[in-house]
Amino acid sequence: MTTAQSIDADHLNLAGAGEDQYLTFILRGEEYGVDILRVQEIRGWDNVTPIPNTPSYIKGVMNLRGTIVPIVDLRERFAMEVMPYGPTTVVIVLKVRSDDRERVMGIVVDAVSDVYNIGADDLKPPPDFGEVVSVEYVQGLATVDEKMVIVLDIDHLLTSGELRGVDRSAA
Amino acid sequence: MSVDIAQFHQTFFEESFEGLDAMESALLGLDVGAADTETINGIFRAAHSIKGGSATFGFSAVANFTHRVETLLDQMREGSRPVTQDGLEILLQSVDVLRAMLEAVRGDGALPDAMAAEVQGRLETMLATDEGGTVESEGDPQAAPGDGWRIVFRPHQHMLQTGNDPIRIFRELAELGELNVRADTSKLPSLTALDPETCHLAWTLELRGEASEGDVREVFDWVEGDCDLAIEPLGRVEGGGGAVPVAAQAAPADKLPVQARPSAGEGGSIRVDIAKVDAIINLVGELVITQSMLGQVGESMEDSPHLDVQRFEKLRDGLAQLERNTRELQESVMQIRMLPISFAFNRFPRIVRDLSQQLGKKIELKMFGEQTELDKTVMEKIGDPLVHLVRNALDHGIEAPDDRLEVGKPETGVVELEAYHKGGNIIIEIRDDGRGLDRDKLLAKARSRGLVPDGQLPSDADIYDYVFHPGFSTADKVSDVSGRGVGMDVVRRNIKALGGNVEIHTEKGRGTTFTVRLPLTLSILDGQLVRVGDQSYVIPLVSIVESLQIRQRQVSAIAGKAEMYKLRDDYIPIVRLNEVFGDGSPYSTLEGGLMVVAEGDGNRAGFMVDDLLGQQQVVIKSLETNFRRVEGLSGATILGDGTVALILDVAGLIQRFRHGDPSSHASSGPRADQHNAAA
């Protein structure tokens, strides 16, 4: 009872009006955030079944209590150098919306960091880097405790290119 | 009444559509002139329940229309009106109208007002051209509908429990004319003794209007036997001075259940044979016994933890039994989804009848194997493709009667539908004895469309296969029925989407046969587990022809690339799965390697694997749910240890190989290069 209350109070405290909560994770030293309401669960890295003829950033599929869930390595997705998975490596299972359906997908990241609440006003649009850096998948930038958090547009990130649900070969 | 009547809508619609189907097939079976009374009775009963149901649910348009149909049927039933071709025609059209009406009230489409009005007009004309029977057929001499009727309605105490609501009855009466209702509350007990489920009230109703006694009695049809009912003509003298008129419309407003239509389609319910349910209950019983037996073994182990042979055997027996129970239970549960294919076949007599009239052809439809069972989902999706194939056979296949006589065939063409099981598949054949496909015409057409390069002669099978190309039609003129060339490609695509395929065999002048092959169910398959590299894959057992060890001298390479294996008198391509999947180390030699010969879409290929593992039933999981379709894979499954294994799409892989793309993506991986270097 007390815990429930304290969580409740906590929640009220944290998610003030006009603020959203974001789960952040580390990828090559940088902190990235995703909308916490999209996070289904966080699990340790486990072996997956690779799917042939898919780009290497799609690590494969995993059995999540009877559902087949594709796992994407975010480092490889962003073409960063590959790092062997370690004890902090986790899979964040996300609910992704594409077209008009919801899909469940996992992303492999270096480590989970924290949960922040970020006001809509504090979320700045990413600066235009031109051709140098693609900010296509960045929803915005926020500063929390003097650190920069890159908030990702996971719907776009996980449903574009090879991850598109539509079968292009069917045409 | 707080019971939400909307919850019964689904059932009502299902029953009504079933009733309509029954009416339709019975009507088609009726012989003009010598109609079988029992059959007419059956049709009448179906119509009657649709009428009753729709009146109860407030679908008055349906009820009114059905009422007229019923009247006509009643006259036929009593023999006061002969069964004529005209009559049957109208009745069949009425079935169509009713079906459209019911679909409309269910929420899929607009009410077919124009069509209904037309058919209703014809019905009334027919009813008016009296051939003995009166329009109302209640039998007893009818008092002329004078001023109206006084009805004393005294329900028995249990009437409410039978689900009948007096308000509904009154509302219906109110539609017949001006209604005054007076309630007799004298029998009401004190509040403490009141049982709300018991009916203590009685009513005196005065109905003014044109309604006949039969009409009034009919309203009370449903409560007959649950009440005392007296109906007498209303005297000219006003009665009941102190009556408290209660407008029936003002009755407690439980809203007419027009909204909240359950969306039609996929998520429907299913009717299950009681025997199947009993079988499952028995199996569950056995499962419980096995469970308790295993529980005992477990307990005895707790008592003395060291394992002796006897207990070990008991444990093993128990587990074996559990396995058997589980398997049987799974089979029985799958059985629930299985329905005889007659559900899909039933519509064809009507289609053939209507279409042959329209086309001016004489066609007999023969159906075999209607009891063959098929998964409900597959059934729902195969209906339209089958209709298309049958229409095609009627329109293109069967010749006009004169043409038939000319080539020495009987005037009446025959279309046969047959369903049977073969292996893990259900086969549906659509045969006609018509003119068959014109090979030369097809070839010319294919050439003109650039499908066949000049100077190349495809095999007969390939030529006939062009029928399934988009926009390909051999009909000289486009008719209402077919010939636009839209369809056959859709047919094939739909069937393929179900994991089946369709083939065509034809003989000029003798007829055409379409063979549709479908999996029995979409969710479970028997699979052979194989190892490629360090991954396990599942090959559907139905597609496996044999497995063998490769002998190098049987292998020949065409142009140094495409490897073929001489299997007895056949040459089959070798698909190196490790290369296709870019996985595992390349083989330095084929000698002694394992090859699984599998067939898909009528083509064979040998799939090289590293190891054959066990065979087991696997539950198919879609990759598309959270990902997308992957070429060469038909899905995934979860193995006993919780890992995911991918299921091979044998037909797709062979197709890809035949189109000269054996390892499309493999070249992107470094392994293929290694292999080339080694080779």
Side-chain angles (χ1 to χ4, degrees):
Chain A
M1 200 56 190
T2 38
T3 34
Q5 270 172 351
S6 71
I7 286 172
D8 214 41
D10 233 271
H11 182 77
L12 286 175
N13 228 348
L14 281 173
E19 291 190 334
D20 288 317
Q21 285 192 299
Y22 291 88
L23 173 78
T24 63
F25 54 86
I26 307 292
L27 210 58
R28 214 179 64 170
E30 297 292 345
E31 204 162 356
Y32 292 82
V34 291
D35 181 357
I36 204 162
L37 296 176
R38 297 302 194 83
V39 178
Q40 183 177 319
E41 61 186 277
I42 302 170
R43 355 177 357 115
W45 166 255
D46 201 354
N47 271 332
V48 297
T49 303
I51 301 181
N53 306 330
T54 49
S56 64
Y57 61 77
I58 300 172
K59 299 312 287 179
V61 285
M62 180 187 257
N63 164 22
L64 189 72
R65 293 180 295 276
T67 321
I68 310 280
V69 177
I71 307 294
V72 174
D73 184 314
L74 221 52
R75 268 180 175 259
E76 291 193 51
R77 181 76 180 89
F78 289 145
M80 300 172 181
E81 80 272 25
V82 184
M83 201 182 71
Y85 295 161
T88 62
T89 306
V90 290
V91 176
I92 302 178
V93 181
L94 298 166
K95 287 172 280 190
V96 180
R97 272 176 222 131
S98 73
D99 301 329
D100 47 4
R101 62 194 184 125
E102 196 173 85
R103 298 197 277 172
V104 179
M105 295 183 138
I107 51 173
V108 184
V109 300
D110 293 357
V112 176
S113 172
D114 210 334
V115 175
Y116 300 125
N117 38 326
I118 300 172
D121 297 340
D122 298 331
L123 202 60
K124 305 276 184 294
D128 190 1
F129 291 102
E131 298 286 304
V132 189
V133 181
S134 166
V135 290
E136 199 185 337
Y137 306 121
V138 178
Q139 192 181 321
L141 302 176
T143 311
V144 180
D145 303 341
E146 317 269 289
K147 290 178 300 185
M148 185 183 72
V149 172
I150 305 159
V151 175
L152 292 175
D153 177 359
I154 53 160
D155 287 344
H156 188 39
L157 174 67
L158 294 179
T159 57
S160 56
E162 281 286 328
L163 291 163
R164 265 176 49 170
V166 190
D167 179 16
R168 282 165 300 161
S169 64
Chain B
M1 292 283 273
S2 59
V3 178
D4 180 14
I5 195 163
Q7 63 182 302
F8 302 114
H9 277 189
Q10 182 70 20
T11 320
F12 163 68
F13 286 124
E14 268 167 33
E15 287 185 356
S16 300
F17 285 120
E18 269 173 35
L20 285 175
D21 288 347
M23 280 171 75
E24 188 168 53
S25 53
L27 282 170
L28 289 169
L30 270 186
D31 292 323
V32 175
D36 173 34
T37 326
E38 198 34 56
T39 315
I40 301 183
N41 265 333
I43 303 171
F44 180 83
R45 276 195 297 273
H48 190 71
S49 9
I50 294 173
K51 183 178 83 166
S54 43
T56 309
F57 287 104
F59 306 134
S60 51
V62 182
N64 289 338
F65 189 87
T66 324
H67 178 68
R68 300 211 162 60
V69 176
E70 201 189 66
T71 314
L72 182 63
L73 281 167
D74 196 43
Q75 293 174 7
M76 288 182 176
R77 178 170 73 157
E78 285 176 350
S80 61
R81 177 186 290 278
V83 178
T84 58
Q85 188 63 39
D86 251 12
L88 288 184
E89 209 68 53
I90 291 179
L91 286 171
L92 276 173
Q93 280 173 1
S94 309
V95 170
D96 290 343
V97 170
L98 281 172
R99 194 173 280 138
M101 278 177 156
L102 284 168
E103 272 163 9
V105 290
R106 190 174 63 179
D108 328 330
L111 271 172
D113 288 330
M115 183 171 148
E118 191 209 318
V119 178
Q120 185 160 334
R122 290 183 56 189
L123 265 173
E124 272 159 10
T125 326
M126 171 152 279
L127 288 171
T129 54
D130 223 303
E131 295 194 34
T134 50
V135 174
E136 276 308 327
S137 48
E138 291 300 327
D140 49 41
Q142 307 241 334
D147 283 353
W149 306 90
R150 169 175 294 122
I151 305 149
V152 181
F153 174 49
R154 195 174 292 279
H156 296 164
Q157 290 206 343
H158 65 269
M159 195 196 77
L160 294 179
Q161 289 156 21
T162 62
N164 288 301
D165 187 346
I167 289 165
R168 200 157 276 122
I169 295 171
F170 299 162
R171 202 174 287 156
E172 216 174 308
L173 276 177
E175 282 173 22
L176 298 173
E178 194 194 328
L179 186 72
N180 278 321
V181 184
R182 191 168 39 156
D184 172 11
T185 55
S186 58
K187 295 259 169 55
L188 265 184
S190 69
L191 197 59
T192 45
L194 181 76
D195 176 1
E197 289 188 14
T198 318
C199 185
H200 301 285
L201 297 175
W203 289 272
T204 309
L205 305 113
E206 284 172 9
L207 179 70
R208 281 168 213 285
E210 300 279 294
S212 70
E213 183 174 350
D215 286 341
V216 176
R217 280 200 184 274
E218 206 175 285
V219 173
F220 290 94
D221 252 9
W222 291 90
V223 288
E224 222 179 340
D226 292 325
C227 68
D228 296 322
L229 190 66
I231 300 176
E232 50 198 42
L234 212 56
R236 302 209 177 266
V237 189
E238 278 284 315
V244 186
V246 181
Q249 298 297 359
D254 55 337
K255 285 176 227 87
L256 272 179
V258 190
Q259 296 100 347
R261 293 165 187 136
S263 69
E266 310 271 307
S269 59
I270 191 166
R271 284 184 171 221
V272 183
D273 194 346
I274 283 280
K276 287 182 178 176
V277 177
D278 284 347
I280 291 174
I281 291 172
N282 283 340
L283 284 169
V284 171
E286 274 179 50
L287 202 60
V288 171
I289 295 168
T290 312
Q291 185 265 331
S292 70
M293 177 181 140
L294 283 170
Q296 261 176 14
V297 176
E299 257 169 44
S300 75
M301 283 191 188
E302 260 170 29
D303 295 345
S304 53
H306 47 264
L307 200 64
D308 56 54
V309 178
Q310 211 187 352
R311 259 188 291 175
F312 182 73
E313 291 220 320
K314 243 188 164 171
L315 180 64
R316 206 172 47 192
D317 285 353
L319 286 174
Q321 203 169 321
L322 184 65
E323 190 200 329
R324 199 178 57 239
N325 289 155
T326 320
R327 199 179 51 237
E328 284 174 0
L329 191 61
Q330 187 191 32
E331 276 167 19
S332 317
V333 172
M334 298 304 294
Q335 273 291 318
I336 286 192
R337 295 189 56 89
M338 304 298 259
L339 296 171
I341 197 158
S342 53
F343 280 86
F345 276 10
N346 274 343
R347 62 175 105 169
F348 288 116
R350 176 78 193 275
I351 290 175
V352 171
R353 181 180 177 280
D354 287 358
L355 215 57
S356 49
Q357 277 180 2
Q358 192 184 331
L359 294 167
K361 294 178 181 178
K362 291 194 173 171
I363 297 163
E364 185 188 352
L365 176 73
K366 289 184 182 167
M367 298 196 285
F368 308 96
E370 292 130 289
Q371 290 309 309
T372 315
E373 288 195 329
L374 180 64
D375 188 284
K376 183 172 186 277
T377 328
V378 183
M379 178 105 63
E380 278 165 1
K381 297 198 172 139
I382 195 60
D384 291 339
L386 282 185
V387 168
H388 196 91
L389 288 173
V390 169
R391 290 172 73 107
N392 226 17
L394 296 179
D395 194 24
H396 300 322
I398 305 284
E399 312 92 327
D402 294 347
D403 297 347
R404 287 185 68 90
L405 288 174
E406 211 165 281
V407 294
K409 288 194 208 178
E411 193 183 15
T412 306
V414 178
V415 172
E416 291 178 332
L417 269 174
E418 179 167 15
Y420 55 91
H421 284 163
K422 189 176 170 189
N425 290 315
I426 182 164
I427 316 272
I428 304 167
E429 289 188 356
I430 298 110
R431 289 186 292 264
D432 67 65
D433 67 345
R435 58 170 78 95
L437 288 177
D438 189 334
R439 182 183 167 282
D440 298 334
K441 206 158 125 191
L442 273 173
L443 185 58
K445 186 111 180 184
R447 276 196 208 283
S448 74
R449 293 180 58 91
L451 292 168
V452 183
D454 282 336
Q456 217 181 72
L457 192 66
S459 70
D460 283 6
D462 282 347
I463 293 175
Y464 296 134
D465 211 57
Y466 287 127
V467 172
F468 295 109
H469 271 262
F472 207 96
S473 173
T474 52
D476 293 326
K477 49 179 192 284
V478 172
S479 72
D480 213 19
V481 183
S482 48
R484 289 184 195 280
V486 183
M488 288 306 268
D489 61 317
V490 180
V491 167
R492 171 167 277 189
R493 202 163 58 229
N494 287 352
I495 292 173
K496 286 222 163 155
L498 289 172
N501 67 345
V502 53
E503 282 165 24
I504 180 168
H505 294 277
T506 183
E507 219 175 313
K508 199 175 173 193
R510 300 286 294 277
T512 310
T513 301
F514 285 95
T515 308
V516 179
R517 184 190 297 265
L518 290 169
L520 277 182
T521 163
L522 298 177
S523 53
I524 285 192
L525 64 80
D526 280 309
Q528 165 76 53
L529 278 173
V530 300
R531 187 174 61 81
V532 179
D534 48 9
Q535 291 298 326
S536 302
Y537 292 91
V538 177
I539 302 181
L541 215 51
V542 283
S543 54
I544 296 181
V545 182
E546 61 185 306
S547 303
L548 48 87
Q549 261 189 331
I550 296 183
R551 297 217 192 99
Q552 186 72 53
R553 60 188 159 87
Q554 310 272 67
V555 178
S556 49
I558 297 172
K561 275 185 187 161
E563 286 168 309
M564 304 296 277
Y565 193 83
K566 185 164 188 282
L567 182 70
R568 289 177 285 275
D569 291 335
D570 254 348
Y571 282 95
I572 58 169
I574 300 176
V575 181
R576 296 181 180 222
L577 279 182
N578 61 337
E579 285 181 15
V580 176
F581 292 154
D583 190 19
S585 48
Y587 310 109
S588 50
T589 172
L590 294 176
E591 179 72 34
L594 284 169
M595 190 168 80
V596 177
V597 181
E599 190 183 297
D601 271 358
N603 301 312
R604 282 184 185 188
F607 293 90
M608 284 208 51
V609 300
D610 290 336
D611 203 356
L612 290 173
L613 309 170
Q615 292 179 0
Q616 70 177 73
Q617 276 202 334
V618 297
V619 178
I620 303 171
K621 304 260 179 185
S622 162
L623 279 175
E624 285 160 70
T625 322
N626 291 316
F627 190 42
R628 62 174 166 90
R629 209 178 76 86
V630 180
E631 225 181 308
L633 301 175
S634 62
T637 189
I638 294 165
L639 299 179
D641 61 358
T643 57
V644 180
L646 302 171
I647 304 170
L648 297 192
D649 171 13
V650 172
L653 281 169
I654 297 177
Q655 193 79 19
R656 213 166 99 189
F657 193 89
R658 281 164 61 91
H659 289 149
D661 191 17
S663 52
S664 60
H665 292 268
S667 54
S668 62
R671 285 155 185 145
D673 299 333
Q674 273 170 24
H675 171 72
N676 287 344

